[in-house]
Structure formats: structure tokens, C-alpha cells
């Protein structure tokens, strides 16, 4: 289990977020009608994230459900949302530790979201100093 | 199932694993009477347990200290259900059972705690059932289990040891299984002389070791063979009234031939490999009896040589007494009596005096035989054994 912690030794790690847009597998696989297909798909997520965890890179993450609410107008206006369409809907996120943006991009490869034409946006967590 | 869930939650949370199993069984008790027993009850139970485990993790994962290798996966909805699903699949379950068996027999725990823990976590016995099996009160069993769980908490993780450590721990596992079997086979503490449930559990556990490539070892096969030979005779060891029948009196047509054949096959298989253990010798002795056509046709001289070898592994009073019985059949009661009397450490044992009584009876020294049986009676604690000695006394007239 040592390989899960040791990789952080030489490089300074920062947090990066993978924002997933589109690529919702539920549009292609119905978990009720095809439980095995769905299971196989979720297993791919497990394998990918287990790989990140094994390298000591996985911080956490969750898939996001719809619908939600969108709050605007200085917190006064609440509407049903999200109001963007299909490909742009944020469907979840994963946080990782990486030694730089390039490495974070490298880590995103193999993400199952790509199988359903999803988009991964890799963004560094901004360090807010006072 | 507790074993698998403990693997999932971590050894620290055996209690949580037991809760989930309890909840699963409650659900079955509520649903089965109305909807009928599902076609695959085991699969149903595992599915329900899996879903309950997922619920618990969903609600409590942040507060639980989970095992490092799966903590992040159990805390994310991306991976929670498939991680639990994978851990609760067929091959993983077999591994968990093995791991749990090895954890239960950790050298930190004294043997009686090991066996109590095995019965609770692997055989699904309730505390009152374990207390009954060992003729003690529930409070004592609860205390044993509590201490064992404390020790588990210290361990943190369940692992099957490797290399030499595996051999050492496997010995502890085998002796716990044999202890369990013996408690079932001649229950000193129980009103019913034979406890078949314990015998069956011991055979199951040993079979689980045989099914796993890591623990398919010659000594495991030897123990399995030994238990097969003994178990084959279960039905003939007492009469309709529950009185013990001696080997000489047993109806050999009632012996389970299939079990004896299984024992023979495993005994043959146990010969490969370098390790030669007490189980090998005991199994060879049991095989000589099980395969003999009658008491008279038993190869007694050969059995005496086997007992000589067994004394190297187990120089116990019981082995000496059994050897003396073999000697009396091979070379006559006189020599057996001489050898038996030479060992001082036996004199507090009821079985020693009962065996002496038999030998004296055979030699026609009836007064001395009667005296020996009376001492045996004063020392015995088992009602079943007491009846045997009384019968022998009556036979003397």
C-alpha cells in the first residue's frame, strides 16, 4: 500500500479539479433496462478512480444530479436550472493532486466520460493568500 | 458475511458489519413469510446486505475511519456502489472468509477466544448458542468476544500471513478447527454427547481452507481426513437411548462409507509435501480403524507403532491411554497394564482408571477392576461417560 502515499515526495502537489460537462451515460444506457451494461460502465469509473487512488492522487469527487436551482440577482432570484443545454451541463467533478497542469491533464486520460463525448475541463485550485 | 463486511468497513468496525448482517436477517424474517423464500436465498441476502452497507456508508462514511486503500472510493458516489459490489462478489467472499479465519486465530487471542470468535463471525452462532456449546454462561462468552474485538481493533486490518508466518498461523487455525470438532465429537460439557452442528461447522471451515490455493496444504488435508474418519462413525457411537457405544460394540455397517472414502482420498493426498504433522499420524490411526472389517481384524500392532510416533507430536495422557488399549489388543492386557501403571501423571484421569479397569477385567482380576471403575466414576464429569462405566461395573456382577 506504500505506493499510495510515496509519490508525493519530490514534486510539490497542488489540487486540480476535473469538471465534467455532458457525456451523461444515462442517455445511452438505461440502468433499469440494462443493469449489466450500467454496472460495466460504473466499473470503468471505479477502475479509473482506483488508479488515481493507487497513485495517491485522488482527493474526491461526486456525480451531480438534475434538476437543481439557479440563484441570481444577488441571491434574490431563484429559478430552475441549470439553464445551459446538453453538452454544457456540469455532470460532476473529481479533485486530484498533481504536480502541474500538464500532469493533471495526463491524469484525466482514461476517464470514462470521454466514451460518451463528454468534456473534461481541468482547472487548478487557486491558492488564495492574504 | 460478517467477514466480507469487515473487509469492507475495516477490522475496526466489526460491530458495524454485525449490525448490517443483523438488519439483513431481520429484513428476511419480515419479507420471506409474506413473499415466500426467494429462489436464491443466499444471493438475496447478499444483495440486501450490499444495499444496506451502501446506505450506511453513504450516511456515515465521513465519520468512519476507513481503510486507506478504499476510503476515497467509498466516499464518492462515482465509485461507492461498484466498490462494494466488487468486494461482495463470489471470489472476494471466499478470500474474506479465509482472512477472517486467520484473524480470529491471531496469536494475541487465547484459544477459547479464538473459537468463540470463529463461531460468532464465521459460523453465525448467537451468543446463547456459543454459551450452550461450551456450557458456560452468556456473560462469559460476551466477555470473551469483547476482548477479542478489542484485540481486533488493535490489528486494524485483516490479513492472511505469508511464508513462515502462514505456516505458524495455519497451525493455530487448524487447532481451533480441531478444538471445535472435538467439542462436537465428544462434548464433555454438554448433555447431548455428540453435537453434529459443531462437527459440520468444523468440516466446512476445513473445506474452505482446502478450496483456497494458499491453504491447500498437506496438513490441512490430513486434518480433513482425520475429521472425515471420525465423523463417519458419528451415527454408530451411541444407541437409541443416547448411551455411548464403545468401538468394540459399534455396528460397523452404520459407518458412513462415503465419508471414509473421502477421508482415504485426502489422507493419500496429504502424503505429498515435506511437512509431516500430528494430524497425519492421527489420521492414519483413524484410517486403520475406519478401514478395518471388525474389531478383531484391526491391525493393532501397526496402530501401536503409529501411537509411538504420535507421542512425539502429542505426549498427552490421552494418547498414552489410547496407546495402552492398542498394546493390550496387540500384545495382551498384561503388558498394557504394566506400561500404563508406569506413567504417574495419568492417575488423576477418569479415563486412565476406566482403561485400567478394562485391562484388569480381562485378566480376571475382578476385585481390582471394580475398584478401578469406582475411582473412574468418582473422577468423571460427563453424564454419558458415567453411564458407560456403570455399565462396565454391572457386567462384572
Amino acid at each position: 500500500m506504500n505506493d499510495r502515499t510515496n509519490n508525493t515526495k519530490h514534486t510539490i502537489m497542488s489540487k486540480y479539479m476535473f469538471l465534467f460537462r455532458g457525456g451523461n451515460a444515462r442517455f445511452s444506457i438505461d440502468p433499469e433496462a440494462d443493469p449489466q451494461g450500467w454496472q460495466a460502465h460504473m466499473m470503468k469509473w471505479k477502475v479509473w478512480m482506483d488508479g488515481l487512488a493507487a497513485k495517491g492522487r485522488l482527493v474526491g469527487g461526486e456525480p451531480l444530479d438534475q434538476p437543481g436551482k439557479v440563484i441570481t440577482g444577488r441571491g434574490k432570484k431563484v429559478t430552475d436550472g441549470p439553464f445551459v443545454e446538453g453538452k454544457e451541463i456540469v455532470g460532476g467533478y473529481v479533485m486530484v493532486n498533481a504536480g502541474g497542469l500538464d500532469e493533471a491533464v495526463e491524469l484525466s486520460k482514461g476517464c470514462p466520460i470521454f466514451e460518451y463525448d463528454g468534456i473534461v475541463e481541468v482547472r487548478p485550485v487557486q491558492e488564495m493568500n492574504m | 458475511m460478517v467477514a466480507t463486511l469487515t473487509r469492507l468497513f475495516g477490522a475496526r468496525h466489526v460491530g458495524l458489519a454485525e449490525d448490517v448482517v443483523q438488519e439483513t436477517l431481520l429484513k428476511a424474517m419480515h419479507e420471506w413469510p409474506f413473499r415466500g423464500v426467494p429462489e436464491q436465498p443466499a444471493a438475496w441476502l447478499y444483495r440486501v446486505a450490499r444495499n444496506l452497507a451502501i446506505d450506511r456508508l453513504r450516511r456515515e462514511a465521513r465519520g468512519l475511519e476507513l481503510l486507506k486503500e478504499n476510503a476515497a472510493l467509498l466516499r464518492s458516489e462515482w465509485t461507492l456502489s461498484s466498490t462494494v459490489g466488487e468486494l461482495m462478489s463470489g471470489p472476494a467472499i471466499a478470500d474474506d472468509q479465509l482472512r477472517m479465519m486467520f484473524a480470529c486465530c491471531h496469536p494475541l487471542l487465547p484459544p477459547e477466544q479464538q473459537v468463540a470468535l470463529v463461531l460468532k463471525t464465521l459460523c453465525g452462532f448467537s451468543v446463547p448458542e456459543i454459551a450452550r456449546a461450551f456450557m458456560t454462561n452468556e456473560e462469559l462468552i460476551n466477555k470473551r468476544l469483547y476482548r477479542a474485538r478489542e484485540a481486533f481493533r488493535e490489528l486494524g486490518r485483516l490479513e492472511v500471513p505469508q511464508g513462515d508466518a502462514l505456516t505458524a498461523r495455519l497451525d493455530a487455525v487448524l487447532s481451533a478447527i480441531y478444538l471445535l470438532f472435538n467439542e462436537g465429537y465428544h462434548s464433555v460439557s454438554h448433555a447431548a454427547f455428540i453435537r453434529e452442528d459443531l462437527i459440520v461447522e468444523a468440516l466446512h471451515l476445513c473445506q474452505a481452507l482446502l478450496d483456497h490455493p494458499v491453504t491447500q496444504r498437506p496438513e490441512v488435508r490430513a486434518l480433513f481426513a482425520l475429521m472425515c474418519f471420525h465423523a463417519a462413525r458419528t451415527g454408530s457411537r451411541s444407541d437409541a437411548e443416547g448411551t455411548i457405544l464403545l468401538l468394540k460394540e459399534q455396528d460397523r455397517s452404520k459407518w458412513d462409507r462415503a465419508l471414509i472414502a473421502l477421508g482415504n482420498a485426502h489422507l493419500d493426498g496429504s502424503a505429498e509435501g515435506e511437512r509431516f504433522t500430528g494430524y497425519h499420524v492421527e489420521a492414519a490411526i483413524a484410517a486403520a480403524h475406519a478401514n478395518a472389517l471388525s474389531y478383531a481384524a484391526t491391525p493393532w500392532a501397526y496402530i501401536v507403532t503409529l501411537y509411538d510416533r504420535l507421542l512425539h507430536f502429542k505426549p498427552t495422557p490421552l494418547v498414552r491411554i489410547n496407546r495402552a488399549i492398542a498394546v493390550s489388543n496387540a500384545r495382551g492386557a498384561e503388558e498394557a497394564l504394566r506400561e500404563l501403571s508406569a506413567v504417574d501423571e495419568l492417575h488423576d484421569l477418569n479415563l486412565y482408571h476406566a482403561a485400567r479397569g478394562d485391562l484388569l477385567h480381562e485378566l480376571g482380576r475382578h476385585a481390582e477392576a471394580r475398584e478401578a471403575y469406582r475411582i473412574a466414576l468418582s473422577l468423571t464429569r460427563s453424564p454419558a461417560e458415567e453411564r458407560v462405566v456403570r455399565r462396565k461395573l454391572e457386567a462384572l456382577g
Side-chain angles (χ1 to χ4, degrees), chain B residues 32 59 96 108:
Chain B
W32 292 4
R59 274 182 285 140
D96 292 334
L108 272 178

Side-chain angles (χ1 to χ4, degrees), chain A residues 25-101:
Chain A
R26 275 176 198 266
F27 297 146
S28 313
I29 312 167
D30 179 356
E32 300 288 324
D34 180 12
Q36 268 156 2
W38 182 251
Q39 206 181 344
H41 175 66
M42 288 319 289
M43 206 36 116
K44 286 178 189 161
W45 278 91
K46 202 224 136 182
V47 168
W48 178 61
M49 286 176 66
D50 199 14
L52 294 175
K55 289 181 210 135
R57 300 310 173 86
L58 181 64
V59 177
E62 301 288 1
L64 300 175
D65 205 358
Q66 308 178 56
K69 295 281 186 186
V70 176
I71 298 110
T72 52
R74 296 172 185 260
K76 287 189 185 121
K77 195 177 165 209
V78 179
T79 49
D80 288 345
F83 43 45
V84 289
E85 290 296 317
K87 271 191 176 303
E88 282 165 47
I89 289 179
V90 174
Y93 73 97
V94 161
M95 293 279 281
V96 297
N97 282 314
L101 197 51

Side-chain angles (χ1 to χ4, degrees), chain A residues 1 4-5 20 42-43 45-46 49-50 58 61-63 93-94, chain B residues 62 68-70 72-73 75-79 82-83 85-86 157:
Chain A
M1 295 307 134
R4 281 173 198 246
T5 45
F20 304 127
M42 288 319 289
M43 206 36 116
W45 278 91
K46 202 224 136 182
M49 286 176 66
D50 199 14
L58 181 64
E62 301 288 1
Y93 73 97
V94 161
Chain B
R62 273 171 220 281
K68 207 170 181 178
E69 71 261 23
N70 61 16
L73 299 178
R75 288 194 173 114
S76 167
E77 285 294 331
W78 286 119
T79 44
S82 39
T83 306
E86 199 174 51
R157 168 198 305 281

Side-chain angles (χ1 to χ4, degrees), chain B residues 67-270:
Chain B
L67 293 176
K68 207 170 181 178
E69 71 261 23
N70 61 16
L73 299 178
L74 292 178
R75 288 194 173 114
S76 167
E77 285 294 331
W78 286 119
T79 44
L80 170 62
S81 150
S82 39
T83 306
V84 175
E86 199 174 51
L87 277 165
M88 293 185 71
S89 69
I93 289 165
D95 284 356
D96 292 334
Q97 206 188 7
L98 204 68
R99 238 180 244 118
M100 190 58 134
M101 225 188 287
F102 276 79
C104 289
C105 297
H106 195 276
L108 272 178
L109 309 174
E112 70 274 8
Q113 279 180 30
Q114 296 177 357
V115 176
L117 207 54
V118 166
L119 284 174
K120 181 81 170 68
T121 53
L122 285 161
C123 310
F125 277 42
S126 67
V127 172
E129 278 173 322
I130 301 171
R132 240 178 292 137
F134 291 99
M135 199 67 182
T136 54
N137 53 41
E138 293 175 27
E139 200 189 337
L140 184 72
I141 295 296
N142 269 323
K143 234 181 256 168
R144 276 184 200 169
L145 288 171
Y146 175 77
R147 277 196 221 111
R149 267 191 214 122
E150 287 295 293
F152 256 41
R153 231 175 283 269
E154 307 263 307
L155 296 177
R157 168 198 305 281
L158 310 182
E159 261 168 326
V160 177
Q162 310 275 318
D164 287 350
L166 174 74
T167 310
R169 187 77 68 83
L170 185 58
D171 286 346
V173 172
L174 293 180
S175 70
I177 292 175
Y178 198 28
L179 196 64
L180 184 63
F181 182 85
N182 275 326
E183 186 50 37
Y185 196 63
H186 21 208
S187 173
V188 215
S189 49
H190 208 270
F193 176 58
I194 300 166
R195 299 274 324 255
E196 282 191 51
D197 48 350
L198 298 184
I199 293 177
V200 168
E201 294 298 346
L203 284 167
H204 273 317
L205 292 173
C206 200
Q207 182 70 58
L209 292 176
L210 287 177
D211 287 342
H212 206 283
V214 180
T215 47
Q216 265 168 11
R217 298 241 189 146
E219 62 267 40
V220 180
R221 297 193 77 177
L223 174 62
F224 192 76
L226 169 61
M227 296 195 297
C228 283
F229 293 129
H230 284 322
R233 298 201 284 118
T234 316
S236 69
R237 290 177 64 233
S238 56
D239 63 15
E241 283 84 49
T243 312
I244 303 179
L245 294 175
L246 302 168
L247 184 58
K248 206 186 293 191
E249 304 162 338
Q250 289 170 15
D251 177 358
R252 289 181 188 231
S253 70
K254 282 189 186 157
W255 291 1
D256 187 330
R257 289 291 144 197
L259 264 180
I260 293 174
L262 189 62
N264 285 333
H266 280 285
L267 183 57
D268 288 346
S270 77

